Amino acid sequence: MKKIYSNLSDSVHFNRSAVYLSPDMKEIYDYATRRAKQLKTELETVLQSDDCVLGLTLNQIADNPVFYEPKPESQALFELLLEVMKQRKAFISNYRGYKASDYALNGMVSGWKRICDDDTDDLRYVSSLIDALADIIGDADPQRDMIIHYSDNAKRAAHDAMFGIDRLVTISDGNVCWSSHSVPIGQYLSDMRERSRNEGVYGYYTGLRLLKEDVDSVRQMRPAHGVLSDRILRLDQMEYRPNDPFVKENHFTVSTVMRQIIRSDILERIFTETIDSTLEKRIRKRRDEFLSAAQTAFETIANMAAPTRSKMYEQAFTAIEEHLKSVMGYNDNNYHRNAGYRLAMSFFFQVIDFCYNYFNCLLTFGVQEDTEYRFYPFHTQKGNSSDESAPFDKTRKGVIILSNSLIREQIQYTVSDGSSTPIGFYLSFADAKSAADALRKTGKECRILDRQGYAVEQ
């Protein structure tokens, strides 16, 4: 049975601002449409196959607008997704028993806090919810001793999109305040969720992505809310499997994966497949210098505490500026005027996405069986050649395929049961012993074996 994980259904590919580099938004729209078609083909291929199973993580489908737009093609793609899962040729890997509705609700609450909390430090990535909000920065308010990031109208629109209620609120000392009311955040959200359900405007932050072009078009969410609710709740009925314990037991994070990726030849493979043709032309004679600087930058990013993809994106802006000015010869005056740094962002963000999705592949399947990880890159400039004598897109394959051997090669210890069947794989003896001790407490017999198969602890 071929076990497949791909990034095609990852929401970053359908987030029209995620690429962060082309002022020609039509190119990104075309890209999203193209990716949706590829995803449809992928799902159809899996459905028609007798020996494939597709692993999906909850975030890939719970907040991905391609599945929830009130359009016939979106409905068809969603029904295809459900059919693949009904045929047991795909499943959803989840955490702590979370289902699609749980994920969507948590995302909604997180997005609402980012918008309504004036003291948020997460301005840039609110743009993944509503583009217009990212650029609304107000003046200082002496009475509240803070900067008002978003206009009152924008806040009302965001609140209305999530809860179906046009209300101007603020967050202060753990309370939600409006008019003369002050209610603890937990109580407020509980009340709003219940009211949203009762009034049939069950809001999801996915819905905000459908409004990215016009923050004032919240009224368009009314029919979309019903579509979102129905499809999310239908997803709740599908097959869910818990995340593979390999990741948790080995203390894996996105940073762990990033270190493995950037210290191998895979970094250069991603460069070849994703680097913008205009940027490639500028640095062709300094390719090794660029990759060395990029590796240094990624080492910095990988060292952050509690890494998430959004946090890594944020760190990447600083890393690009710090490490690429010297490579590309920019100074403080021409750095932001020159498009080069924006072109470099594509490469940086796609490396982050590659690592993020490979991490999710490990969450989904672990390393006990062979898997196929497929990364479909975003090609900027539509793969145009840098010059006619050496077409830039000559070596591009359109997809980077990776097995789990990169991580498997790092495994030092295996925990086997009484019949010598492997039940866990570990990068360190400490992790292996911890897992074995936990199993023994449940009464199970197990052994720890080294790479040569010898028992190293009884």
Side-chain angles (χ1 to χ4, degrees):
M1 181 69 71
K2 179 183 289 187
K3 296 174 173 59
I4 300 170
Y5 177 97
S6 87
N7 70 325
L8 272 182
S9 53
D10 183 40
S11 61
V12 72
H13 285 289
F14 301 94
N15 179 346
R16 293 160 182 165
S17 61
V19 184
Y20 295 102
L21 47 88
S22 175
D24 179 10
M25 294 303 290
K26 185 177 185 298
E27 180 180 339
I28 297 179
Y29 294 152
D30 290 345
Y31 170 77
T33 301
R34 193 161 62 249
R35 279 291 178 259
K37 290 180 179 179
Q38 286 182 295
L39 176 58
K40 180 176 181 289
T41 299
E42 183 175 71
L43 291 174
E44 289 174 338
T45 301
V46 172
L47 183 62
Q48 295 163 8
S49 173
D50 293 327
D51 64 346
C52 285
V53 61
L54 180 67
L56 299 159
T57 47
L58 194 51
N59 68 293
Q60 286 185 310
I61 55 176
D63 64 356
N64 193 336
V66 73
F67 292 119
Y68 305 107
E69 293 174 306
K71 299 178 182 178
E73 56 269 32
S74 178
Q75 172 73 25
L77 187 62
F78 181 77
E79 296 295 342
L80 176 61
L81 172 71
L82 290 189
E83 185 60 30
V84 174
M85 288 192 280
K86 288 176 183 176
Q87 295 290 331
R88 302 184 70 83
K89 294 181 178 180
F91 67 92
I92 305 169
S93 176
N94 67 345
Y95 173 68
R96 290 184 178 176
Y98 286 169
K99 293 194 174 183
S101 57
D102 302 310
Y103 185 94
L105 273 173
N106 290 339
M108 178 189 77
V109 171
S110 174
W112 172 80
K113 286 181 179 178
R114 291 180 186 185
I115 293 167
C116 294
D117 184 355
D118 289 325
D119 204 26
T120 180
D121 59 356
D122 200 3
L123 290 178
R124 189 185 304 277
Y125 294 100
V126 173
S127 64
S128 68
L129 302 176
I130 302 179
D131 284 344
L133 292 178
D135 299 320
I136 302 173
I137 301 178
D139 300 322
D141 184 338
Q143 293 182 345
R144 293 158 74 181
D145 194 28
M146 57 183 61
I147 298 293
I148 306 303
H149 294 308
Y150 306 122
S151 72
D152 289 349
N153 287 338
K155 283 188 176 182
R156 284 184 180 276
H159 193 285
D160 201 12
M162 291 192 209
F163 296 125
I165 303 168
D166 180 359
R167 174 178 287 170
L168 179 61
V169 301
T170 58
I171 299 175
S172 178
D173 297 327
N175 294 317
V176 179
C177 309
W178 76 100
S179 301
S180 60
H181 301 278
S182 179
V183 178
I185 288 178
Q187 179 184 335
Y188 182 84
L189 294 175
S190 177
D191 292 345
M192 289 300 98
R193 283 196 290 259
E194 188 62 30
R195 179 170 172 178
S196 296
R197 289 189 182 99
N198 293 339
E199 296 184 4
V201 288
Y202 194 36
Y204 293 97
Y205 97 114
T206 304
L208 294 178
R209 293 171 182 257
L210 306 180
L211 300 173
K212 290 172 64 59
E213 287 69 56
D214 183 5
V215 73
D216 294 323
S217 62
V218 175
R219 62 184 180 280
Q220 297 177 16
M221 278 301 300
R222 292 298 172 263
H225 277 155
V227 171
L228 287 164
S229 297
D230 174 67
R231 295 184 193 175
I232 287 285
L233 294 176
R234 289 176 68 190
L235 273 176
D236 278 358
Q237 309 307 313
M238 296 298 106
E239 180 185 4
Y240 288 78
R241 299 181 191 176
N243 291 162
D244 192 281
F246 170 82
V247 171
K248 181 178 180 181
E249 292 180 352
N250 284 278
H251 306 288
F252 253 66
T253 66
V254 182
S255 291
T256 315
V257 172
M258 178 171 283
R259 292 189 190 96
Q260 299 286 347
I261 296 297
I262 65 175
R263 295 172 186 176
S264 70
D265 61 355
I266 298 172
L267 179 65
E268 188 165 358
R269 287 173 58 188
I270 301 173
F271 171 88
T272 301
E273 287 289 342
T274 66
I275 197 69
D276 184 275
S277 57
T278 304
L279 178 60
E280 190 272 346
K281 183 177 182 180
R282 297 181 188 183
I283 64 173
R284 176 172 295 172
K285 296 180 180 179
R286 307 176 71 179
R287 177 188 178 107
D288 292 343
E289 190 177 353
F290 174 89
L291 285 172
S292 177
Q295 185 176 27
T296 300
F298 284 122
E299 291 280 2
T300 301
I301 294 172
N303 287 332
M304 67 166 45
T308 64
R309 180 164 56 176
S310 290
K311 289 181 179 179
M312 285 183 162
Y313 281 162
E314 186 72 26
Q315 186 73 21
F317 282 91
T318 302
I320 291 169
E321 184 168 1
E322 288 180 353
H323 296 285
L324 300 186
K325 275 185 179 179
S326 59
V327 175
M328 300 173 70
Y330 298 160
N331 57 42
D332 290 337
N333 293 326
N334 67 10
Y335 178 72
H336 288 286
R337 290 202 311 269
N338 195 306
Y341 85 101
R342 301 184 69 211
L343 302 176
M345 285 182 196
S346 173
F347 170 62
F348 269 67
F349 289 159
Q350 294 203 74
V351 171
I352 292 170
D353 285 346
F354 186 97
C355 297
Y356 170 81
N357 277 282
Y358 191 57
F359 171 72
N360 281 335
C361 179
L362 295 174
L363 276 175
T364 303
F365 290 113
V367 295
Q368 294 187 19
E369 301 176 84
D370 289 330
T371 59
E372 185 176 284
Y373 167 60
R374 301 174 181 174
F375 182 81
Y376 294 81
F378 171 81
H379 293 323
T380 57
Q381 302 298 312
K382 301 182 181 179
N384 292 336
S385 60
S386 298
D387 61 58
E388 295 181 0
S389 63
F392 177 62
D393 61 353
K394 183 177 181 180
T395 59
R396 288 185 168 180
K397 308 299 181 184
V399 58
I400 302 172
I401 297 177
L402 196 65
S403 70
N404 56 16
S405 60
L406 177 71
I407 303 300
R408 186 175 285 177
E409 290 172 359
Q410 311 302 317
I411 292 172
Q412 301 296 318
Y413 301 94
T414 302
V415 173
S416 299
D417 62 16
S419 61
S420 298
T421 301
I423 55 178
F425 301 88
Y426 303 92
L427 306 186
S428 72
F429 178 76
D431 290 336
K433 187 175 186 307
S434 177
D437 289 344
L439 286 169
R440 288 167 184 154
K441 287 180 180 178
T442 65
K444 294 182 180 179
E445 179 184 350
C446 61
R447 297 189 303 163
I448 301 176
L449 308 177
D450 63 16
R451 296 186 69 158
Q452 287 70 44
Y454 295 112
V456 295
E457 185 263 357
Q458 297 295 335

